[in-house]
Amino acid sequence: MPQSNESATIPTDSHSPPGRTKPSLLSNLGADLPASLVVFLVALPLSLGIAAASGAPIMAGLIAAAVGGIVAGSLGGSPLQVSGPAAGLTVVVAGLVAEFGWQVTCAITAAAGVVQLLMGVSRIGRAALAVSPVVVKAMLAGIGITIILQQLHVLLGGQAAGSAVENLAALPAAITNVELHSALLGLAVVVILLAWTYLPAMVRKVPGPLAAVVAVTALSVAVAPNVERISFSGSILDAVALPSLPDGNWRAAAMAVITVALIASIESLLSAVAVDKMGGSRTNLNRELVGQGSANMVSGMLGGLPVTGVIVRSATNVEAGAKSRTSAILHGVWVLVFSVLFAGLIQLIPMSVLAGLLLVIGAKLIKVADIRTSLRTGDLLVYAVTLVCVVALNLLEGVLIGLALAAVCVLWRVLRAQIHAHAPAGSGLPWRVTIAGSCSFFALPRLNRVLHSVPEGQDAVVELYADYLDHAFREALVAWQKQQRNTGASVTLEEHGTTAFTDAEDNKPQRQDPREFPLPPKTSWLPSGDDTTADDDGGRLPLRSILLGIDKYHRRHADKVRPLVQDLTEGQNPDTLFVACVDSRVNPNLITSSGPGDLLTLRNIGNVVCNDGRDASIDSALSFAVKGLSVDSIVICGHSNCGAMKAVIADFEGAGPALGTGFDSWLEHARPSYSALLSGHPVALAAAAEGYSRLDQLSMVNVALQLRKLEDHPVTGPALASGELQATGLFYDICTARVVLVTPEGIEQLDPSMAVRS
């Protein structure tokens, strides 16, 4: 049996077309080699700074960068993502080092890699994204604040404390005892990084972090030789250290493993999704977890920091023109080579220089746009609580509290329907009650309070925008409706949501009866003495229905439509003349998803075009559209079960409709279509093969003939011949609500690829 595509497909590298052979690692070397060098120059100072902030050996950052590039780059599911040590885990790692020591932290990193690997093999990669984005953003902001409070002490020449609260409390003393040279060097790095984006493009080709660290380090050798610098013994090979197991406290160690695994996974997957949006190929999230897990296993076993996908390096990789995973792998190779051959240069870097670099990194984690988004979406409370808890408590507890609060907020929004009563805006108008959201028995107290705020004997309209409506809520609403009607008032229920409101007595959908809803004072709607809305015999009240519809439009849509038509106040600029039949079942704007002002619509019986000068209305419309408004296209749209085409067939069969001489003469414009149908027009044959009736075949043939008339018309013909104008034929099948493309040669079912091709 053939295997499904999902199980058989192997993710290919970026830009590899489906079904083609997977490209080799060297196939895009011309683009990947320079990109890898750029990413290496960005990753080098960042890795050193993150290691310093984590309280880990400096070389642990370079080990993680090399392993992340080579291992995660080779095995991951996001070809353009670059992995390495990330600021998002700085606080966690610092806490683990303080609690367990460095070698046990390495064991925790390796164990977290195993957990990630199992998550990837279990194919739950997308499940790891089921975390509220506002919690993730608040977590990163909390980490940024923690890094800033920590590194301010280092920049000022002191030592950071164990927690953000302690660092904040000790900050005044650190400022008092500032070491001037150290502070100035750190501030110089901050100034260079902030000013880097404003420098000429040629200068900015050099990564800002690298330029700042190199320039200020060189300056420090000349003017401040005694400041504290990075210190270690040996090269990266000497820094390799095997992990060790904890001495007891296994429960805390297990919790640390889960914490590192989850945070590293979420950060990596979110980064991969962001890379996809920047132009990379779609990430295989499960494979990405396998790659990240493998990298963390290797990094932990070699004495490196935890590895995650890093958006800063990944974005740099994409912007530098990388085409495949070769760039990420080579970046890891360059880190390894530099660490082996030039380790001595690293020891020239002052600690305050890395502190200045980390201050900017931490500040970038706090995004004003995220705060604005959380305010706009109503998630500001979740954002603020998560941020404060991450800073004041610790990362794990802060995230768990944030997730719990986010879940409570979602539950609150689901259970709490929006119910409001609006007093009449004028004399004779009804009260409005708007109900939106999930309407369950939890909302009954609020429902009853709002409904009983409507005075007895007052007419009311209930606008129901519900996505869920349970039986208890329905009963309460119907009971109030009966009570209000018993006082002599009318109550109309209008549904605009996805539920089907039914009357409790007859279980039939409620429909609005125009006679139940009083119109506003006649003088505001109708000419004096016009009583056309009255119907004492119980018949339809069409004018009253129209006026009620206008009232609904004013209440529900006018404010939303106003911004769309602001630009059309002084004139129009349609791109298409849409020639349609007068049939009430055809709505041109609906079937073309067009907005106000997009279509110039011409409707007549049978959607015909007259090119013999016999109809000034159609000729003037064509002239106004083509010469006056310079439309780009003309559409002729017929439809199924067309009354005009029925009349044509009946006329030829000797049973023409008694609709007057004017209608009979108008049919002359459509009679050639019937002759073409009888002679076996290609459109008729194609429609017959698709199973369309003889009547609908005639409608399609009529569309094809009208397109031909446009080619011969003195106004549209030259524009079509020169390519300045396009003509398209459509057929709207009412029973299926589908649109068919009609050409002079046949018919074709519309699909999305047509729009792409055209």
Side-chain angles (χ1 to χ4, degrees):
M1 295 180 63
Q3 295 180 340
S4 67
N5 290 336
E6 182 177 354
S7 60
T9 299
I10 298 176
T12 59
D13 278 349
S14 175
H15 311 300
S16 176
R20 300 260 184 106
T21 304
K22 181 178 178 180
S24 69
L25 291 177
L26 301 180
S27 58
N28 295 301
L29 190 60
D32 291 331
L33 180 59
S36 69
L37 292 171
V38 174
V39 178
F40 156 69
L41 295 175
V42 172
L44 184 66
L46 295 181
S47 300
L48 295 173
I50 291 169
S54 302
I58 291 297
M59 282 297 178
L62 298 180
I63 292 174
V67 171
I70 297 172
V71 178
S74 300
L75 303 179
S78 179
L80 299 185
Q81 174 155 268
V82 180
S83 301
L89 278 168
T90 300
V91 177
V92 174
V93 174
L96 295 179
V97 173
E99 182 177 359
F100 296 103
W102 173 241
Q103 288 184 296
V104 175
T105 301
C106 292
I108 291 173
T109 299
V114 175
V115 173
Q116 287 181 286
L117 184 63
L118 293 176
M119 291 170 63
V121 172
S122 302
R123 305 183 67 82
I124 61 172
R126 292 195 177 275
L129 292 176
V131 177
S132 175
V134 68
V135 174
V136 176
K137 294 171 182 177
M139 176 194 75
L140 294 175
I143 291 171
I145 292 175
T146 303
I147 291 175
I148 291 173
L149 293 174
Q150 178 192 68
Q151 295 304 310
L152 276 174
H153 287 272
V154 179
L155 183 141
L156 296 173
Q159 295 294 325
S163 69
V165 176
E166 293 173 346
N167 283 322
L168 182 61
L171 195 56
I175 296 174
T176 303
N177 301 316
V178 61
E179 184 179 322
L180 188 58
H181 287 100
S182 176
L184 291 176
L185 292 174
L187 289 176
V189 173
V190 174
V191 170
I192 292 174
L193 291 176
L194 293 180
W196 200 253
T197 56
Y198 301 100
L199 297 179
M202 291 297 295
V203 178
R204 285 187 281 111
K205 289 185 177 181
V206 179
L210 179 69
V213 170
V214 171
V216 180
T217 298
L219 179 65
S220 71
V221 173
V223 301
N226 297 323
V227 295
E228 183 182 1
R229 302 179 187 272
I230 294 175
S231 63
F232 56 86
S233 58
S235 68
I236 190 173
L237 301 178
D238 299 317
V240 173
L242 293 177
S244 62
L245 298 177
D247 297 330
N249 203 5
W250 289 93
R251 183 175 180 179
M255 184 61 67
V257 170
I258 300 299
T259 301
V260 173
L262 289 180
I263 295 176
S265 299
I266 292 171
E267 187 166 349
S268 298
L269 296 182
L270 290 176
S271 174
V273 171
V275 172
D276 290 352
K277 295 178 181 179
M278 295 176 65
S281 61
R282 183 185 300 177
T283 297
N284 183 322
L285 297 180
N286 295 308
R287 177 175 171 177
E288 183 63 22
L289 282 180
V290 171
Q292 296 293 332
S294 302
N296 274 316
M297 289 169 59
V298 175
S299 182
M301 295 300 294
L302 295 178
L305 288 170
V307 171
T308 74
V310 186
I311 187 58
V312 174
R313 301 176 204 188
S314 302
T316 302
N317 193 38
V318 174
E319 292 170 359
K323 299 297 182 183
S324 71
R325 64 181 70 248
T326 304
S327 175
I329 297 172
L330 286 176
H331 127 272
V333 173
W334 306 142
V335 171
L336 182 61
V337 171
F338 179 87
S339 303
V340 172
L341 300 180
F342 305 104
L345 295 177
I346 298 174
Q347 298 188 72
L348 296 175
I349 303 174
M351 293 298 295
S352 61
V353 168
L354 292 183
L357 176 63
L358 287 166
L359 282 176
V360 177
I361 294 174
K364 288 184 177 180
L365 293 177
I366 309 168
K367 300 183 184 299
V368 177
D370 293 340
I371 300 176
R372 291 174 179 168
T373 300
S374 64
L375 179 62
R376 186 178 68 252
T377 58
D379 293 322
L380 185 60
L381 177 64
V382 177
Y383 184 95
V385 170
T386 304
L387 186 150
V388 171
C389 291
V390 166
V391 174
L393 302 175
N394 58 58
L395 188 65
L396 179 60
E397 293 179 6
V399 169
L400 291 178
I401 292 173
L403 290 175
L405 181 58
V408 170
C409 290
V410 170
L411 183 62
W412 173 254
R413 290 170 182 171
V414 170
L415 297 180
R416 186 178 183 274
Q418 300 293 322
I419 308 173
H420 302 283
H422 307 272
S427 176
L429 295 177
W431 278 69
R432 287 177 57 228
V433 178
T434 57
I435 303 173
S438 298
C439 301
S440 67
F441 63 90
F442 289 101
L444 288 182
R446 179 174 176 80
L447 174 68
N448 286 311
R449 184 174 70 255
V450 173
L451 291 180
H452 285 88
S453 68
V454 179
E456 293 184 355
Q458 293 291 317
D459 299 326
V461 177
V462 179
E463 299 176 3
L464 194 59
Y465 302 85
D467 51 33
Y468 171 74
L469 188 69
D470 72 1
H471 183 69
F473 196 97
R474 179 183 291 109
E475 278 194 342
L477 194 54
V478 170
W480 174 80
Q481 182 187 38
K482 292 179 179 178
Q483 292 173 2
Q484 196 73 358
R485 285 178 174 175
N486 289 338
T487 65
S490 67
V491 178
T492 304
L493 298 177
E494 296 181 359
E495 283 193 89
H496 313 298
T498 58
T499 62
F501 189 89
T502 56
D503 193 296
E505 292 183 353
D506 55 17
N507 201 37
K508 294 181 180 178
Q510 293 258 334
R511 294 184 62 87
Q512 178 175 321
D513 187 342
R515 286 166 296 179
E516 290 185 357
F517 185 64
L519 284 172
K522 184 187 302 182
T523 53
S524 66
W525 292 90
L526 303 173
S528 176
D530 193 335
D531 295 324
T532 55
T533 61
D535 190 342
D536 296 331
D537 298 329
R540 295 186 62 194
L541 302 170
L543 180 53
R544 183 183 292 267
S545 297
I546 291 295
L547 298 181
L548 291 177
I550 294 173
D551 181 61
K552 285 184 184 179
Y553 164 74
H554 286 159
R555 287 187 280 112
R556 295 166 48 198
H557 302 303
D559 290 339
K560 299 177 182 177
V561 171
R562 187 180 297 112
L564 301 177
V565 297
Q566 288 297 317
D567 295 337
L568 304 176
T569 304
E570 302 300 330
Q572 59 176 322
N573 186 29
D575 51 35
T576 299
L577 171 64
F578 198 97
V579 182
C581 184
V582 295
D583 194 286
S584 62
R585 298 165 294 179
V586 180
N587 189 327
N589 287 90
L590 178 65
I591 65 177
T592 60
S593 299
S594 301
D598 293 339
L599 301 180
L600 180 67
T601 304
L602 171 64
R603 306 187 71 148
N604 61 54
I605 297 174
N607 47 269
V608 300
V609 175
C610 309
N611 61 354
D612 51 9
R614 294 174 56 187
D615 190 276
S617 174
I618 293 179
D619 287 340
S620 61
L622 291 175
S623 297
F624 181 60
V626 176
K627 296 182 177 180
L629 298 176
S630 300
V631 297
D632 299 318
S633 61
I634 298 180
V635 172
I636 308 292
C637 182
H639 65 92
S640 61
N641 197 23
C642 179
M645 298 303 107
K646 284 182 181 179
V648 171
I649 294 176
D651 179 70
F652 272 89
E653 293 178 351
L659 297 176
T661 56
F663 184 84
D664 183 66
S665 62
W666 178 261
L667 292 183
E668 289 293 336
H669 300 300
R671 287 190 176 105
S673 301
Y674 187 79
S675 301
L677 174 69
L678 296 179
S679 63
H681 194 281
V683 171
L685 299 178
E690 294 289 337
Y692 287 99
S693 66
R694 184 163 171 261
L695 174 60
D696 291 348
Q697 294 173 35
L698 176 59
S699 295
M700 295 183 187
V701 170
N702 182 59
V703 170
L705 263 62
Q706 305 313 313
L707 291 176
R708 192 69 71 188
K709 285 184 180 180
L710 288 176
E711 296 177 0
D712 300 331
H713 196 280
V715 173
T716 58
L720 289 170
S722 65
E724 298 176 3
L725 185 68
Q726 291 181 319
T728 304
L730 301 178
F731 174 82
Y732 180 59
D733 189 5
I734 296 173
C735 66
T736 62
R738 304 285 295 182
V739 179
V740 178
L741 181 67
V742 179
T743 68
E745 294 77 27
I747 64 174
E748 187 174 353
Q749 298 294 330
L750 285 168
D751 61 78
S753 65
M754 289 185 180
V756 176
R757 292 198 302 268
S758 62

